[in-house]
Amino acid sequence: MKKLFFGITTACCALFTNASAAPVEDFIGTWKLERTTVPNYVVIKQEGERLVALRYARNVLTNKIVERRFPASYANGDITIAAGETVIQARSVNDVATVTMLAEAYKKISSSTAVPTSEEMSQI
């Protein structure tokens, strides 16, 4: 029975390991929160050898754009973002890169990693 279980487990792991995944380049760019006019962006970019995720959101009290930086790493089609209390997930779903934060879906709006300016964000 142990050998059967081990064989099934190995076969399942092999399926997941060989599954194709979105390359890291598919994640790099600017992502905007879907279905809202509130400026709220996640930018994933490469700084030298490191990946970094930047979150831009408007502070409702000061009406200024706030940037938060999170270190990120890529493995097997998923980007792990060290986000502390902010939960950001970037993963490949059916070979398509997706980004979610606090269960909200973001859509890619640019392959550029330029930071959205306050002026751009106020127009959205």
Side-chain angles (χ1 to χ4, degrees), residues 7 17 20 22 41 73 82 90-91 100:
T17 303
S20 58
Y41 291 86
S73 60
R91 61 186 40 183
T100 60

Side-chain angles (χ1 to χ4, degrees), residues 43-110:
V43 176
I44 298 175
K45 66 181 186 174
Q46 196 147 7
E47 291 182 345
E49 296 294 314
R50 302 177 316 133
L51 279 176
V52 63
L54 305 144
R55 178 181 176 231
Y56 296 92
R58 185 181 305 283
N59 181 313
V60 292
L61 298 177
T62 64
N63 202 30
K64 293 186 178 178
I65 304 304
V66 178
E67 175 191 284
R68 296 197 54 203
R69 297 175 65 86
F70 306 103
S73 60
Y74 174 82
N76 299 323
D78 291 346
I79 291 184
T80 303
I81 299 169
E85 76 279 2
T86 302
V87 178
I88 300 173
Q89 293 180 329
R91 61 186 40 183
S92 172
V93 177
N94 296 326
D95 298 335
V96 176
T98 64
V99 173
T100 60
M101 186 178 74
L102 301 176
E104 306 255 12
Y106 284 73
K107 67 177 178 179
K108 194 169 190 177
I109 61 167
S110 170

Side-chain angles (χ1 to χ4, degrees), residues 7-21:
I8 292 171
T9 305
T10 303
C12 289
C13 290
L15 285 174
F16 290 117
T17 303
N18 294 329
S20 58

